[in-house]
Amino acid sequence: MNNIKTVFKTILIILLVCTIAPLLLGGFMPIFSIPFGFLFLYYVLIYFLINFLKRTRLGNIMIYLLFVFPILWAIIDWKSLLDFLLQGIHLDLR
């Protein structure tokens, strides 16, 4: 479980940088800080869930599934994940 905490801390740092960096850029880039911010909050909640969840097999499986789900979604279809996180803001990325 210590390995997954280390991975979560690394992802949280990367997402925090990805949330703050677009805010410092001009143009339409600050729009992209919104989905990275939502992903940051998602992984923070999972990190707190790790600390309060009992160490059972079902708990470990649930943590791994919650951890991998957004990553797999981003790998399979990045545009639909971005559209889900930016509901109401329509971007034409073609």
Side-chain angles (χ1 to χ4, degrees):
M1 200 55 110
N2 287 334
N3 292 338
I4 194 78
K5 282 186 178 182
T6 309
V7 170
F8 267 98
K9 287 178 185 177
T10 306
I11 286 179
L12 287 174
I13 290 169
I14 291 170
L15 284 173
L16 185 63
V17 168
C18 288
T19 302
I20 294 173
L23 290 173
L24 301 175
L25 299 172
F28 69 93
M29 287 306 291
I31 292 173
F32 290 108
S33 66
I34 297 168
F36 287 121
F38 285 148
L39 286 175
F40 177 76
L41 291 176
Y42 175 78
Y43 280 112
V44 165
L45 290 174
I46 294 174
Y47 183 74
F48 286 132
L49 183 69
I50 289 173
N51 292 330
F52 294 117
L53 196 63
K54 293 183 181 180
R55 307 290 191 248
T56 62
R57 182 174 172 91
L58 181 63
N60 289 341
I61 292 172
M62 187 173 71
I63 297 261
Y64 286 122
L65 286 176
L66 288 173
F67 173 73
V68 171
F69 180 70
I71 295 170
L72 287 177
W73 191 3
I75 290 171
I76 293 171
D77 191 10
W78 170 250
K79 188 175 181 318
S80 71
L81 176 65
L82 191 64
D83 287 341
F84 175 74
L85 293 172
L86 287 173
Q87 290 181 8
I89 301 173
H90 302 288
L91 298 173
D92 188 13
L93 297 178
R94 292 183 229 164

